[in-house]
Coordinates of all heavy atoms in Angstrom, one line a residue:
S152 N -13.1 16.1 7.1 CA -12.9 15.0 8.3 C -13.6 15.4 9.5 O -14.4 14.6 10.0 CB -11.4 14.7 8.5 OG -10.7 14.5 7.3
I153 N -13.5 16.7 10.0 CA -14.1 17.0 11.2 C -15.5 17.1 11.1 O -16.3 16.6 12.0 CB -13.4 18.4 11.7 CG1 -11.9 18.3 12.1 CG2 -14.2 19.0 12.7 CD1 -11.3 19.6 12.2
L154 N -16.0 17.7 10.0 CA -17.6 17.8 9.9 C -18.3 16.5 9.6 O -19.2 16.2 10.1 CB -17.8 18.8 8.7 CG -17.4 20.3 9.0 CD1 -17.7 21.2 7.8 CD2 -18.0 20.9 10.2
I155 N -17.6 15.6 8.6 CA -18.3 14.4 8.3 C -18.4 13.5 9.4 O -19.3 12.7 9.7 CB -17.6 13.9 7.1 CG1 -17.7 14.7 5.7 CG2 -18.1 12.4 6.8 CD1 -19.2 15.0 5.4
S156 N -17.3 13.5 10.3 CA -17.1 12.6 11.4 C -18.2 12.9 12.5 O -18.7 11.9 13.2 CB -15.8 12.6 12.1 OG -14.7 12.2 11.1
L157 N -18.8 14.1 12.4 CA -19.8 14.4 13.4 C -21.1 13.7 13.2 O -21.9 13.6 14.0 CB -20.1 15.9 13.3 CG -19.0 16.8 14.0 CD1 -19.4 18.3 13.7 CD2 -19.2 16.6 15.6
V158 N -21.3 13.3 11.9 CA -22.5 12.5 11.6 C -22.7 11.4 12.4 O -23.8 11.0 12.9 CB -22.4 12.1 10.1 CG1 -23.7 11.1 9.7 CG2 -22.5 13.2 9.2
Y159 N -21.7 10.6 12.7 CA -21.8 9.3 13.5 C -22.2 9.7 15.0 O -23.2 9.1 15.4 CB -20.5 8.5 13.5 CG -20.1 7.9 12.1 CD1 -19.0 8.2 11.4 CD2 -21.0 7.0 11.6 CE1 -18.7 7.4 10.3 CE2 -20.8 6.4 10.3 CZ -19.7 6.7 9.6 OH -19.3 6.1 8.5
P160 N -21.5 10.5 15.7 CA -21.9 10.6 17.1 C -23.2 11.2 17.2 O -24.0 11.0 18.1 CB -20.8 11.4 17.7 CG -20.1 12.1 16.6 CD -20.2 11.1 15.4
L161 N -23.6 12.2 16.3 CA -24.8 12.9 16.5 C -26.0 11.9 16.1 O -27.0 12.0 16.8 CB -24.9 14.0 15.4 CG -23.9 15.2 15.7 CD1 -24.1 16.2 14.4 CD2 -24.4 15.9 17.0
T162 N -25.8 11.0 15.2 CA -26.9 10.0 14.9 C -26.9 9.0 16.1 O -28.0 8.5 16.5 CB -26.7 9.4 13.7 OG1 -26.4 10.2 12.6 CG2 -27.8 8.4 13.2
I163 N -25.7 8.5 16.5 CA -25.8 7.4 17.4 C -26.3 7.9 18.8 O -27.0 7.2 19.6 CB -24.2 6.8 17.7 CG1 -23.9 6.1 16.4 CG2 -24.2 5.9 18.9 CD1 -22.3 5.8 16.4
S164 N -26.0 9.3 19.2 CA -26.5 9.7 20.4 C -28.1 9.8 20.6 O -28.6 10.0 21.6 CB -26.0 11.2 20.6 OG -26.4 12.1 19.6
K165 N -28.8 9.8 19.3 CA -30.2 9.6 19.4 C -30.8 8.4 19.6 O -31.9 8.2 19.8 CB -30.7 10.3 18.0 CG -30.4 11.7 17.8 CD -30.8 12.2 16.4 CE -30.5 13.7 16.3 NZ -30.9 14.1 14.9
L166 N -29.9 7.3 19.6 CA -30.4 6.0 19.9 C -30.6 5.8 21.3 O -30.1 6.4 22.1 CB -29.4 4.9 19.3 CG -29.0 5.0 17.8 CD1 -27.9 4.0 17.5 CD2 -30.2 4.8 16.9
Q167 N -31.4 4.7 21.7 CA -31.6 4.3 23.0 C -30.5 3.2 23.4 O -30.4 2.2 22.6 CB -32.9 3.8 23.3 CG -34.0 4.9 23.4 CD -35.4 4.5 23.9 OE1 -35.6 3.1 23.7 NE2 -36.2 5.3 24.4
F168 N -29.9 3.3 24.5 CA -28.9 2.4 24.9 C -29.5 1.8 26.2 O -29.6 2.5 27.3 CB -27.6 2.9 25.1 CG -26.9 3.4 23.8 CD1 -27.1 4.7 23.4 CD2 -26.1 2.5 23.1 CE1 -26.5 5.1 22.1 CE2 -25.5 2.9 21.8 CZ -25.8 4.1 21.4
C169 N -29.7 0.4 26.2 CA -30.4 -0.1 27.4 C -29.7 -1.4 27.8 O -30.2 -2.2 28.6 CB -31.8 -0.6 27.1 SG -32.1 -1.3 25.4
G170 N -28.4 -1.5 27.5 CA -27.5 -2.6 28.0 C -27.5 -3.9 27.2 O -28.3 -4.1 26.3
P171 N -26.7 -4.8 27.5 CA -25.7 -4.6 28.7 C -24.6 -3.4 28.3 O -24.4 -3.1 27.1 CB -24.9 -6.0 28.8 CG -25.1 -6.5 27.4 CD -26.4 -6.0 26.9
N172 N -24.0 -2.9 29.3 CA -23.1 -1.8 29.0 C -21.6 -2.2 29.0 O -20.8 -1.5 29.4 CB -23.3 -0.8 30.2 CG -22.9 -1.2 31.5 OD1 -22.9 -2.4 31.8 ND2 -22.6 -0.2 32.4
V173 N -21.3 -3.4 28.4 CA -20.0 -3.9 28.4 C -19.6 -4.0 26.9 O -20.4 -4.6 26.1 CB -19.9 -5.3 28.9 CG1 -18.6 -5.9 28.9 CG2 -20.3 -5.2 30.5
I174 N -18.4 -3.5 26.5 CA -17.8 -3.6 25.2 C -16.5 -4.4 25.3 O -15.6 -4.0 26.0 CB -17.6 -2.3 24.6 CG1 -18.8 -1.5 24.2 CG2 -16.6 -2.3 23.4 CD1 -18.6 0.0 23.7
D175 N -16.6 -5.5 24.8 CA -15.4 -6.4 24.7 C -14.5 -6.1 23.6 O -14.3 -6.8 22.6 CB -15.9 -7.9 24.7 CG -14.8 -8.9 25.0 OD1 -13.7 -8.4 25.4 OD2 -14.9 -10.2 24.8
H176 N -13.9 -4.9 23.8 CA -12.9 -4.4 22.8 C -11.9 -3.5 23.6 O -12.2 -3.0 24.8 CB -13.7 -3.7 21.8 CG -12.8 -3.6 20.4 ND1 -11.6 -3.5 20.3 CD2 -13.4 -3.8 19.2 CE1 -11.2 -3.6 19.0 NE2 -12.3 -3.9 18.3
F177 N -10.9 -2.9 23.0 CA -10.0 -2.1 23.7 C -10.3 -0.6 23.3 O -9.6 0.3 23.8 CB -8.6 -2.4 23.4 CG -8.0 -2.3 22.0 CD1 -7.8 -1.2 21.4 CD2 -8.2 -3.5 21.2 CE1 -7.3 -1.2 20.0 CE2 -7.7 -3.5 20.0 CZ -7.3 -2.4 19.3
F178 N -11.3 -0.3 22.4 CA -11.7 1.0 22.1 C -13.0 1.0 21.6 O -13.7 -0.1 21.3 CB -10.7 1.7 21.1 CG -11.0 1.4 19.6 CD1 -11.6 2.3 18.8 CD2 -10.5 0.1 19.2 CE1 -11.8 2.0 17.5 CE2 -10.7 -0.2 17.9 CZ -11.4 0.7 17.0

Side-chain angles (χ1 to χ4, degrees):
S152 304
I153 292 169
L154 294 179
I155 296 299
S156 297
L157 281 172
V158 171
Y159 289 123
L161 289 177
T162 307
I163 294 172
S164 62
K165 295 178 182 178
L166 301 176
Q167 283 189 343
F168 292 90
C169 45
N172 63 340
V173 177
I174 291 181
D175 193 1
H176 211 318
F177 60 85
F178 79 104

